Amino acid sequence: MFQLGWFGNLTAPEWAPSPTSPYVTDDATTWMDGRFYIDQARNLERAGFDFLMLEDSLMVPDMYRGTSEMALKHARYAPKLDPVVAASMLAYATEHIGIICTASTTFYNPYQLARQFATLDHLTRGRIGWNMVTSSEDRAAQNFGMERLPEHDLRYEMADEFKRCVEALWMSWDEDAIVADPDTGYYADFTKVHRADFEGRFYSSRGPLNVPRSPQGTPVYCQAGGSPKGRDFAAKHTDLILNIPIGVEGMKEFRNDIRRRAEGFGRNPDDIKVFWVVLPIIGETEAEAKAIEQAWADAKDYNFEINMAHFEATQEIDMSQFDPDKPLPDDVTTNGHQSTLANTKKAWGDKTIREAASESSRITSIPLVGTADQVAERMGEVAEEVGGDGFLIYNQPMSRHYIASITDGLAPALRRRGLIRTGFKHQHLRDNLRDFA
């Protein structure tokens, strides 16, 4: 068996017909009231998904040709709602599914983050997770009064200390600190509430936190770093890791590497779940699914613009400075998502920028195209060959049509094969994630 997660973003759903969403709805202008995402979370929970992961970014990209045209034309990376604020609404509308919120260690204050996530863990009765990111955009830094981000590896050093600081705050209340004893008149036992007194190179906090110990103690830790520094951070700190593999062999290499690193940090590698980011394309027939895939491949102008928007947001590289009829220069570097740039260079090879960027922008980590039964069968084979642990389904922008193809098509096909859960055994997200070895 394996587990399912969903990559979500609180931005505009599909607003025009596309191969995977042939219908136009009013969701594109009403999504900001949250009802679209409530419906999404409920459908995912019904389908047996372990969690909904809400990504985030903190800027409006404007690197490509010096304007925000590409980002706003396609509603990629902006506009966007705050996932930490939205999480309590989504949790109140559901009972079991975990809600994982993205929050940046570069821009948050440790006390603020500790207080917000402890609050969310209480409000969700132990279903909250934290997707730990270091951020990758100087434009975001400039929104917080900084000229530019710290260097890539330094951001991970800061994140390591940030996590230790917030944990000191979360642990400042003993589990039995609240006594609510009418005989003694004490609500909380002051001897069981402690100062954190955390002093580090980058952060300090006196404590104690003014929120009691939450149901899980700490939120579930999630991370998606692919660089050597990011892999070390994930292996040392996280409960689950998100990765976009290149084929089954890439999946094996990544999972084995993470498990080896985890053992090096004295951790049980079985406590870390690796979720593969995939994009299943489901059709009522195999021919229909392949036609959908081909339609994305044929949308060359769209694909080119989406890839330009992706580069300006995640790499902060203005691709318009390069000759589009030549390959991407070898000496291009970034202080942003380094593993994404490395994977792009590898995938593009000797193709010109125009050729490579005009190809389908859909995630093709492993081909999952066909009927619900065909895709379910293939996911089972891959999980068996790789050794687990789960799949994170990604499609952007989102639509009710695509969600239904997964929750009402693929998920039942997986369940018929005994590949995914039929119910939730535990209240807490971390316990449900560790259901399957």
Side-chain angles (χ1 to χ4, degrees), residues 40 117 142 219:
Q40 178 191 41
F117 276 77
Q142 290 153 15

Side-chain angles (χ1 to χ4, degrees), residues 322-328 350-355:
F322 306 123
D323 185 342
D325 296 313
K326 293 182 179 179
L328 184 67
D350 294 329
K351 296 176 183 176
T352 69
I353 292 173
R354 190 188 310 279
E355 290 171 338

